Amino acid sequence: MRFAADEFPARALLMADHADRIENSKMHSLRLILLAVVVVICDTSAMAAQPTITIAQLERAPELDCATKLKGLIIDIDELLAKNPRNLVDVYEVFHRHFPINRCGMDEVSLIVKTSRYFRSISMNGPKMHVYSLNSETASSRGVAVSFGLTDAGELVFPFAIWSPSFL
């Protein structure tokens, strides 16, 4: 292919412009990579400057969270059962607000649940689950029976509510 004499300088300028764009693109990419490296270095040095958390603190923190959540659950359930709810959906709304509750110790859960005005019992469901029962039934009126389990892994599970006695 032959170029006209007046066409060649224009073509040379286009090629030079194209080469400049490629070079600028490479420089832009290098700048972005450099920025990413700086961000990573700054982030890791900021992380190193943060105070160290001990294993003992990590182990205690979830228990505090468990205790706080469980106390809130027991307070809300007691308040609701004192009002003689007419619908079990109200009980399940309380469950929905407080569950999941994890990383609980059996002694801690037992102490907190026993503070309920409606506490009835602690039993076992197999070798690995403690079951806590609350009940607002009286000798003269129907109530609500509430239960939930505590696994050996420290999770409160299977919140359940039923009319008590269930046959009325």
Side-chain angles (χ1 to χ4, degrees):
M1 177 173 197
R2 294 193 118 193
F3 297 104
D6 58 340
E7 203 176 297
F8 184 70
R11 184 120 174 112
L13 286 175
L14 285 174
M15 291 177 67
D17 185 49
H18 181 69
D20 285 344
R21 286 185 188 179
I22 290 173
E23 190 63 31
N24 285 339
S25 176
K26 287 179 184 176
M27 290 300 292
H28 181 71
S29 296
L30 286 174
R31 285 186 196 124
L32 288 176
I33 291 170
L34 181 62
L35 178 63
V37 169
V38 169
V39 167
V40 168
I41 290 170
C42 290
D43 191 39
T44 54
S45 62
M47 287 174 55
Q50 293 177 353
T52 305
I53 297 173
T54 65
I55 293 173
Q57 290 171 323
L58 287 173
E59 289 174 350
R60 278 194 303 258
E63 289 179 13
L64 294 175
D65 188 41
C66 169
T68 302
K69 286 182 172 183
L70 185 57
K71 286 176 185 177
L73 171 68
I74 295 302
I75 289 168
D76 285 356
I77 287 289
D78 276 6
E79 287 176 1
L80 180 63
L81 295 181
K83 296 176 184 175
N84 296 318
R86 296 178 57 87
N87 192 338
L88 291 178
V89 172
D90 297 335
V91 179
Y92 282 95
E93 286 175 356
V94 171
F95 290 155
H96 184 71
R97 279 198 308 270
H98 294 281
F99 278 82
I101 303 175
N102 299 312
R103 297 185 178 157
C104 301
M106 198 273 298
D107 293 335
E108 178 182 41
V109 171
S110 296
L111 286 172
I112 294 169
V113 174
K114 286 179 180 178
T115 64
S116 171
R117 176 178 162 194
Y118 301 100
F119 172 76
R120 288 290 172 98
S121 68
I122 301 173
S123 59
M124 293 296 295
N125 183 6
K128 296 184 176 193
M129 183 168 314
H130 290 81
V131 178
Y132 297 87
S133 300
L134 310 172
N135 197 322
S136 63
E137 172 189 359
T138 64
S140 60
S141 71
R142 183 179 190 187
V144 176
V146 172
S147 66
F148 51 87
L150 175 65
T151 67
D152 63 343
E155 295 179 79
L156 289 175
V157 294
F158 308 126
F160 181 72
I162 191 170
W163 293 115
S164 178
S166 58
F167 54 84
L168 290 180

